[in-house]
Amino acid sequence: MSDTSKKTPQTEPRFSATFDPGTMSEIRRAAATGIYDIRGAGAKRKLPHFDDLLFLGASVSRYPLEGYREKCGTDVVLGTRYAKKPIHLKTPVTIAGMSFGALSGPAKEALGRGASAVGTSTTTGDGGMTPEERGQSSILVYQYLPSRYGMNPDDLRKADAIEVVIGQGAKPGGGGMLLGQKISDRVAKMRCLPKGVDQRSACRHPDWTGPDDLEIKIAELREITDWEKPIYVKVGATRPYFDVTLAVKAGADVVVLDGMQGGTAATQEVFIEHVGIPILAAIRPAVQALQDMGMHRKVQLIVSGGIRNGADVAKALALGADAVAIGTAALIALGDNDPHLEEEYQKLGTTAGAYDDWHEGKDPAGITTQDPELMKRLDPVKAGRRLANYLSVLTMEAQVIARACGKSHLHNLEPEDLVALTIESAAMAKVPLAGTTWIPGTSSF
Amino acid sequence: MESLKFDLENTELRTVNQYLHRPAAELSGKNVVISNPNGAHNIAVGLNAEVNVTIDGHAGYYAAGMNQLATVTVTGSASTGVAENMMSGVVHVKGFASNAAGATAQGGLLIIDGDAGLRCGISLKGADIVVGGSVGSFSAFMAQAGNLVVLGDAGEALGDSLYEARLFVRGNVKSLGADCEEKEMDQESRNILVDLLAKSGHAEVDPDSFKLFGSARTLYNFHVDNAGAY
């Protein structure tokens, strides 16, 4: 006879690892709306990243440099291959391309102020160059994009470098769409569009198709600017060995390689999370391509996608990059996703730190918006100061690590200074698994 | 006025272009002839002065690219991207033009006496293009502003994803692209057409023999019901 006075033990409710609550909520959202999810920012899933690498500091076999006394250089020169006027940066941390339109005018101004204060460059985006941005950026890179929105030869001549954008890490192979609510009068005028309509950005350039054409296009840009300005080629990380090879053959002075953690103003969630590769997996093939052509350090490599601190900077440089670019981190430094705005983020159905509906133009921080009232919330001078502080910290942190490894310049860091914590990261970064000599994919254990 | 002559057989293209980038006051009103182009790319790009340039022969890619103020004549044919992103001035191709003629051009007038290839006037942003012959497929793709006049026929998908550009076609249109539709010829459009025909040496052509095409504006704001059109 069963004892009904005792409750039968129950297995606790168990969520599926495959159909987890987040996945199920997306299925319900898709079923209700019939449209894919669009958001800003880069990949949010956990990926093999720089955190999976560690530096081997100096000890008996190598000796370190004295912190605060012995110099550790941080400068970098970009565009030494062909440009008559290469760019000299005091720190190898640059600001990635972000458009006026996606960002407010004060946000673009703040980026220029912050970058200029520490002697680095900032970059325009889709939609062209604004006077505020040019005025506040001592070194400004002008993006040349498939849409050519706002593309103006006068601005091309005003730029310090030109970046031909083939793709970006968040959406390699994809175009873009700036939704109508962010097409204000000024944005509409710059992009030659009716106010309030969606601005569709093409995924391919209108007047060239393959690498042979790219070579002619780069030559055109050089001819127009009398061979003065460095020409960058930016690619999203997918097949970095081949893309870097083709970019160099086409005549690039600098290659910009953006991993899937790199942010975007607005793209489909499925695109952001499932197309492209992490920057950790992309750097070594890119560097290998440069080395195989005898062009490493002659054509400079800028990498981006998930750079957050000086350790990330140092690791990217140790793997062979010449500089890095930051986008999302720069926006956070300006004030994006700040907890003091939690109440307003809650009203938008999100929380501070998770807000990524940048395309909707409702950013409480006044950064990813064209709303005049919201824009006023961002003081470009104070925000620029915060960015300058943050850039200084990134540089100093990278120096701390470089000195500990005995390097008198950040560019003297090398893969031999690194080990990996996981088999995946060891294979991707091509450095040994910590405590072993094993580099998966290149040597047997 | 006597012309200044450059022979690309024995002069570096860079030398020619850098001469053409001299201050506008120095170049204004001058006539420059570039002989033996032989399909060289990037001839007379980035000009920003009221100078008259004649490319005596066939030009390669991006002839007169990003032109401002200058009048550039190609006596032969022009390859891909002639007058791409032109801001102002006049570019006249007396032969044929290859793909992407006048791509993203924001101002000025591009005249092509012969046919133009694929994607003529792609992403047009305000310039005027007059093609004496026919244009290839995907012409005026995503064209935002400006006018494309075609005296001959248009290929497939004319004006796909069109914004506010006006497309005037005298001959047959093989097919219209997404969101492109025939419009009634209003007086303002007719005036524009008459003016462009006169400026491009086609004053004798009857403007009433053209059809006008424009955007149906159904794709201006994304809606899931239109997903199949993209």
Side-chain angles (χ1 to χ4, degrees):
Chain A
M1 203 169 104
S2 62
D3 180 0
T4 54
S5 66
K6 285 189 180 173
K7 204 173 175 185
T8 305
Q10 297 288 309
T11 304
E12 67 177 39
R14 182 181 177 190
F15 285 105
S16 164
T18 305
F19 291 91
D20 61 24
T23 302
M24 289 193 291
S25 70
E26 169 53 18
I27 291 172
R28 284 188 285 270
R29 190 207 59 77
T33 64
I35 185 172
Y36 41 60
D37 186 26
I38 292 179
R39 68 170 175 85
K44 290 189 168 185
R45 63 157 80 196
K46 185 163 175 55
L47 293 163
H49 198 38
F50 293 121
D51 287 340
D52 300 321
L53 303 181
L54 295 172
F55 279 100
L56 301 173
S59 56
V60 179
S61 61
R62 298 172 186 217
Y63 63 91
L65 297 186
E66 194 69 63
Y68 306 108
R69 289 186 192 167
E70 289 178 303
K71 188 171 170 56
C72 177
T74 63
D75 61 306
V76 58
V77 185
L78 302 172
T80 52
R81 186 185 186 191
Y82 289 123
K84 286 184 203 165
K85 295 181 179 174
I87 283 178
H88 295 256
L89 305 181
K90 290 180 182 167
T91 172
V93 186
T94 67
I95 305 299
M98 290 175 275
S99 76
F100 167 70
L103 300 189
S104 66
K108 288 297 286 180
E109 182 183 335
L111 291 174
R113 286 177 177 275
S116 300
V118 300
T120 192
S121 61
T122 185
T123 312
T124 66
D126 220 351
M129 181 191 291
T130 64
E132 302 98 299
E133 183 176 32
R134 176 63 277 188
Q136 295 301 336
S137 304
S138 56
I139 305 168
L140 182 59
V141 182
Y142 189 49
Q143 283 197 331
Y144 188 72
L145 291 121
S147 74
R148 311 277 166 87
Y149 286 122
M151 167 56 221
N152 185 321
D154 291 331
D155 293 336
L156 201 70
R157 287 185 277 262
K158 282 181 206 157
D160 299 293
I162 299 161
E163 183 171 294
V164 179
V165 180
I166 316 289
Q168 64 184 99
K171 49 180 176 182
M177 188 184 282
L178 191 63
L179 294 185
Q181 54 264 46
K182 289 180 83 171
I183 306 290
S184 64
D185 285 329
R186 188 177 178 199
V187 173
K189 190 176 176 203
M190 281 182 71
R191 300 185 188 216
C192 194
L193 287 168
K195 187 184 176 188
V197 308
D198 295 341
Q199 171 245 281
R200 296 161 282 181
S201 292
C203 66
R204 296 197 302 267
H205 282 261
D207 56 354
W208 63 272
T209 45
D212 295 335
D213 287 4
L214 174 60
E215 182 175 354
I216 305 169
K217 174 53 71 177
I218 288 175
E220 184 202 12
L221 296 170
R222 289 198 194 284
E223 286 290 330
I224 287 172
T225 55
D226 294 331
W227 292 72
E228 288 183 347
K229 301 173 196 308
I231 310 270
Y232 301 9
V233 171
K234 178 176 180 176
V235 294
T238 54
R239 300 174 184 85
Y241 184 88
F242 299 109
D243 288 337
V244 169
T245 300
L246 292 170
V248 172
K249 283 181 185 292
D253 289 306
V254 175
V255 177
V256 182
L257 182 65
D258 190 23
M260 70 183 290
Q261 301 98 323
T264 174
T267 295
Q268 299 91 342
E269 154 91 6
V270 71
F271 208 148
I272 296 172
E273 295 287 358
H274 297 278
V275 184
I277 63 174
I279 194 62
L280 185 69
I283 299 176
R284 292 307 296 275
V287 172
Q288 189 66 52
L290 293 169
Q291 289 170 337
D292 287 351
M293 289 183 284
M295 297 304 275
H296 190 219
R297 305 297 188 203
K298 295 176 184 167
V299 169
Q300 287 78 37
L301 177 68
I302 302 176
V303 302
S304 55
I307 300 284
R308 305 151 299 173
N309 52 46
D312 291 347
V313 176
K315 289 169 186 175
L317 267 50
L319 293 176
D322 294 275
V324 303
I326 60 168
T328 304
L331 298 188
I332 294 167
L334 295 188
D336 174 63
N337 267 296
D338 198 287
H340 86 274
L341 295 165
E342 177 59 21
E343 200 174 313
E344 298 199 50
Y345 286 122
Q346 292 278 343
K347 286 179 192 165
L348 295 172
T350 184
T351 186
Y355 176 65
D356 57 17
D357 287 327
W358 298 344
H359 55 292
E360 292 181 349
K362 299 173 183 169
D363 183 2
I367 296 171
T368 58
T369 182
Q370 296 299 320
D371 182 310
E373 291 306 310
L374 291 173
M375 277 162 52
K376 283 183 197 162
R377 295 181 178 187
L378 189 78
D379 180 334
V381 177
K382 288 180 182 171
R385 181 71 251 174
R386 286 195 293 273
L387 177 61
N389 288 342
Y390 172 61
L391 288 166
S392 296
V393 169
L394 291 184
T395 308
M396 288 189 290
E397 286 179 344
Q399 284 176 302
V400 165
I401 288 170
R403 284 197 183 95
C405 294
K407 312 295 185 183
S408 60
H409 196 288
L410 293 183
H411 288 147
N412 294 342
L413 288 163
E414 53 196 334
E416 288 71 19
D417 293 316
L418 292 167
V419 292
L421 283 169
T422 66
I423 293 171
E424 289 88 348
S425 59
M428 291 177 185
K430 294 185 173 50
V431 299
L433 188 65
T436 77
T437 57
W438 185 35
I439 302 176
T442 61
S443 62
S444 56
F445 184 64
Chain B
M1 182 192 269
E2 197 175 329
S3 299
L4 179 66
K5 292 182 179 171
F6 288 100
D7 185 348
L8 281 185
E9 283 269 287
N10 51 36
T11 310
E12 289 277 332
L13 175 69
R14 203 183 302 190
T15 305
V16 180
N17 280 334
Q18 291 193 0
Y19 173 82
L20 293 170
H21 294 166
R22 288 186 176 192
E26 196 179 322
L27 293 171
S28 186
K30 279 201 164 66
N31 295 312
V32 176
V33 175
I34 300 168
S35 59
N36 290 310
N38 297 331
H41 305 307
N42 304 322
I43 304 173
V45 293
L47 272 53
N48 192 13
E50 290 177 343
V51 58
N52 299 305
V53 177
T54 301
I55 300 171
D56 192 11
H58 302 305
Y61 277 44
Y62 310 131
M66 302 195 199
N67 188 55
Q68 292 167 282
L69 302 173
T71 298
V72 180
T73 304
V74 181
T75 64
S77 294
S79 188
T80 296
V82 62
E84 64 88 12
N85 216 93
M86 175 165 56
M87 305 297 288
S88 59
V90 178
V91 176
H92 185 173
V93 180
K94 295 200 168 180
F96 303 109
S98 184
N99 299 336
T104 76
Q106 298 182 38
L109 173 63
L110 169 61
I111 304 165
I112 299 162
D113 290 348
D115 295 331
L118 304 172
R119 302 185 294 279
C120 179
I122 183 173
S123 293
L124 192 67
K125 290 171 165 58
D128 298 316
I129 302 177
V130 180
V131 180
S134 299
V135 295
S137 297
F138 314 111
S139 287
F141 172 63
M142 287 179 77
Q144 297 168 226
N147 302 287
L148 172 64
V149 179
V150 182
L151 275 71
D153 302 328
E156 292 186 38
L158 176 72
D160 195 286
S161 303
L162 194 63
Y163 287 102
E164 291 296 298
R166 288 181 172 92
L167 315 179
F168 303 90
V169 183
R170 193 174 186 220
N172 296 317
V173 175
K174 198 161 188 184
S175 66
L176 294 176
D179 215 29
C180 182
E181 66 177 13
E182 186 175 345
K183 304 270 190 190
E184 194 174 330
M185 184 79 76
D186 58 289
Q187 193 57 45
E188 184 189 355
S189 300
R190 193 176 185 282
N191 292 345
I192 289 170
L193 175 61
V194 168
D195 180 53
L196 287 175
L197 288 170
K199 283 179 179 168
S200 57
H202 301 292
E204 79 289 355
V205 177
D206 178 10
D208 295 324
S209 60
F210 286 80
K211 288 180 179 171
L212 172 66
F213 301 89
S215 176
R217 303 187 179 106
T218 60
L219 301 182
Y220 270 16
N221 293 98
F222 184 86
H223 191 278
V224 66
D225 291 346
N226 294 330
Y230 287 96

